[in-house]
Amino acid sequence: MKNKYWFFKRIYKDYVIVFDNNISYGIDKDLIKYIKSKDINYVIVDRECNIKVIECSNNNYYKYVIRESVIKILE
C-alpha cells in the first residue's frame, strides 16, 4: 500500500492522497482532517487503482503542511 502511495504522490505532488477507506501515509495522514474544509485538493484511490481527483479553486495544501509541521515541532 505504501508503494501505491509513493507512486501517486510523485504524480500528484500538492494533493492529499487518500485510499478508499480513509488511509494515508506520510504527512497526508495528518492532512486528511482538512479535506472537509473544501480548500485542499485531494485524490481518492480505490482498490482497483481507479482515481478520483477533487480540485478546489483555492488549494491550501502547503499552508496545512506548514501548520501540521509546526504543531508536531511544538508537541
Side-chain angles (χ1 to χ4, degrees), residues 15-73:
Y15 288 72
V16 176
I17 309 298
V18 180
F19 294 100
D20 59 346
N21 48 3
N22 287 337
I23 294 176
S24 190
Y25 298 98
I27 191 68
D28 291 348
K29 180 174 60 174
D30 299 326
L31 298 179
I32 289 178
K33 60 186 170 188
Y34 296 113
I35 289 175
K36 294 177 184 174
S37 62
K38 305 282 187 203
D39 60 348
I40 191 167
N41 295 344
Y42 61 99
V43 175
I44 300 174
V45 182
D46 65 0
R47 286 184 217 142
E48 290 83 30
C49 289
N50 297 324
I51 59 171
K52 181 179 179 185
V53 178
I54 290 85
E55 294 182 349
C56 301
S57 60
N58 187 13
N59 186 15
N60 290 321
Y61 178 81
Y62 293 109
K63 173 183 158 184
Y64 291 129
V65 167
I66 292 170
R67 181 181 289 175
E68 286 298 314
S69 299
V70 169
I71 289 171
K72 282 190 176 196
I73 290 171

Side-chain angles (χ1 to χ4, degrees), residues 5-20:
Y5 170 76
W6 290 114
F7 173 77
F8 286 112
K9 194 62 178 176
R10 284 187 179 199
I11 296 171
Y12 299 103
K13 293 184 191 311
D14 56 349
Y15 288 72
V16 176
I17 309 298
V18 180
F19 294 100
D20 59 346

